[in-house]
Amino acid sequence: MTTPTTRILPIATASMAVTGALISGTVTAVRGTIAVKEGKMTSREVIKAVATESAGTGLATGTGIAIVGLLGIGGLAGIIGFTAIATGTKIMWDKSIGTNLTKKIES
C-alpha cells in the first residue's frame, strides 16, 4: 500500500528540481548578459553556462529533496540535511563538468 508520502515525494522532488533549475538559470542568464555587455563572455558561453548551471542546480535540488524525503527527516535537521546533500551534489556536478564559465560571469 502506498502512503501519501510515497505518492507526494516524486511530485515534490520534480517540482523542486525544476524550481531550482529555473532560479539558477535566471540568475546565470542575468549575470551572463552583463558579462556579454562588458565583453567578458560570448553569448554562446552564456548559453552553455545557463544550461550547465540549470542542470546542475536542478539535479542538486532534486537529489536533496528526494533523499531527505525518503529518510523522513523534517524540521531543522531536514533543512541541514537538504543543504548538505544539495551542496555536495552540486560540487560533484561542477567538478564533473569542469567548466570555468561561471567564474567568468562572477569576475
Side-chain angles (χ1 to χ4, degrees), residues 59-95:
L59 175 68
T61 304
T63 302
I65 292 292
I67 292 174
V68 169
L70 285 172
L71 296 175
I73 303 170
L76 183 58
I79 293 170
I80 293 169
F82 165 78
T83 303
I85 293 164
T87 301
T89 304
K90 184 65 167 76
I91 289 169
M92 290 186 338
W93 171 266
D94 288 345
K95 286 185 178 183

Side-chain angles (χ1 to χ4, degrees), residues 96-107:
S96 71
I97 296 299
T99 63
N100 294 325
L101 294 176
T102 55
K103 290 180 183 176
K104 285 185 180 181
I105 289 174
E106 294 170 359
S107 63

Side-chain angles (χ1 to χ4, degrees), residues 34-46:
I34 294 167
V36 168
K37 287 184 180 185
E38 292 175 349
K40 295 179 181 177
M41 293 179 77
T42 66
S43 38
R44 282 192 174 189
E45 289 174 321
V46 172

